[in-house]
Amino acid sequence: IKNPKASNPPQAGLRHDKKADYGEEVVEEKFGGDAEAGTGRRFIAPNPASMLDFEGTEMLLIPEKHDVEEILTDEKTEQAIEKEATEEAHHLSPKDVLKELRLNEKTFPVTALEGDWL
């Protein structure tokens, strides 16, 4: 997760007014302070994951060193992913999905999400 106090390279990242507002206490505790002032880190691991819940959170994604296709096509992994998706599908309503994706029901009808998902 990117420190909201850290600057962005030109043409990258969110404008200052769109960045996550974790509050000074969280920035100090998690990032160690203001990265631009030289007292904090620019990025941290998403721990706790609840930091991802803030609107405007910026992330740096680092590709996996291992063969991702091999990992994803592993039969046990595939079965585990399918089981988790099936269980989660029973708990989420189409309205829950729209809410989580921050989509407007008038623009994106709930009926578009109904049916069987494979």
Side-chain angles (χ1 to χ4, degrees):
I1 296 176
K2 184 175 181 279
N3 186 335
K5 302 283 186 180
S7 63
N8 296 329
Q11 305 300 321
L14 296 173
R15 294 187 329 247
H16 180 71
D17 63 324
K18 297 291 184 183
K19 291 183 178 191
D21 182 10
Y22 301 120
E24 293 300 322
E25 187 176 304
V26 172
V27 170
E28 185 64 39
E29 179 187 337
K30 300 296 181 187
F31 293 96
D34 186 339
E36 292 307 300
T39 60
R41 295 180 298 279
R42 292 181 60 79
F43 293 92
I44 62 168
N47 188 10
S50 61
M51 290 186 72
L52 298 172
D53 293 338
F54 285 83
E55 186 171 335
T57 296
E58 296 177 277
M59 298 184 306
L60 173 66
L61 301 177
I62 302 171
E64 173 66 46
K65 291 181 186 179
H66 305 286
D67 183 1
V68 175
E69 186 175 336
E70 182 179 312
I71 293 168
L72 293 178
T73 57
D74 173 63
E75 190 173 330
K76 286 183 181 179
T77 304
E78 190 174 329
Q79 289 172 352
I81 291 171
E82 187 174 326
K83 180 181 177 195
E84 184 178 341
T86 301
E87 289 171 359
E88 194 169 295
H90 293 294
H91 301 289
L92 289 175
S93 72
K95 287 185 179 187
D96 292 334
V97 173
L98 287 178
K99 183 178 178 183
E100 187 166 328
L101 295 173
R102 295 189 176 132
L103 296 175
N104 184 319
E105 191 175 337
K106 293 177 184 173
T107 307
F108 298 93
V110 172
T111 55
L113 298 173
E114 293 174 350
D116 292 328
W117 288 76
L118 303 175

Coordinates of all heavy atoms in Angstrom, one line a residue, residues 103-109:
L103 N -21.3 0.2 -7.9 CA -22.1 0.5 -9.1 C -23.5 0.9 -8.8 O -24.1 0.3 -7.8 CB -22.1 -0.8 -10.0 CG -20.7 -1.2 -10.5 CD1 -20.8 -2.6 -11.3 CD2 -20.1 -0.2 -11.4
N104 N -24.1 1.7 -9.6 CA -25.4 2.2 -9.4 C -26.4 1.2 -10.0 O -26.3 0.8 -11.2 CB -25.6 3.6 -10.0 CG -26.9 4.2 -9.8 OD1 -27.9 3.5 -9.8 ND2 -26.9 5.5 -9.5
E105 N -27.4 0.8 -9.2 CA -28.4 -0.1 -9.7 C -29.2 0.4 -10.9 O -29.7 -0.4 -11.7 CB -29.3 -0.5 -8.5 CG -30.2 -1.7 -8.8 CD -31.0 -2.1 -7.6 OE1 -30.6 -1.8 -6.5 OE2 -32.1 -2.7 -7.8
K106 N -29.4 1.7 -11.0 CA -30.1 2.2 -12.1 C -29.3 2.1 -13.4 O -29.9 1.9 -14.5 CB -30.5 3.7 -11.8 CG -31.5 3.9 -10.7 CD -31.7 5.3 -10.4 CE -32.7 5.4 -9.2 NZ -32.8 6.8 -8.8
T107 N -28.0 2.3 -13.3 CA -27.1 2.2 -14.5 C -26.8 0.7 -14.9 O -26.8 0.4 -16.0 CB -25.8 2.9 -14.2 OG1 -26.1 4.2 -13.8 CG2 -25.0 3.0 -15.5
F108 N -26.6 -0.1 -13.8 CA -26.3 -1.5 -14.0 C -27.4 -2.4 -13.3 O -27.3 -2.6 -12.1 CB -25.0 -1.8 -13.4 CG -23.8 -1.1 -14.0 CD1 -23.4 0.1 -13.5 CD2 -23.2 -1.6 -15.2 CE1 -22.4 0.8 -14.1 CE2 -22.2 -0.9 -15.7 CZ -21.7 0.3 -15.2
P109 N -28.4 -2.8 -14.1 CA -29.5 -3.5 -13.5 C -29.0 -4.8 -12.8 O -28.1 -5.5 -13.3 CB -30.4 -3.9 -14.7 CG -29.9 -3.1 -15.8 CD -28.5 -2.6 -15.5

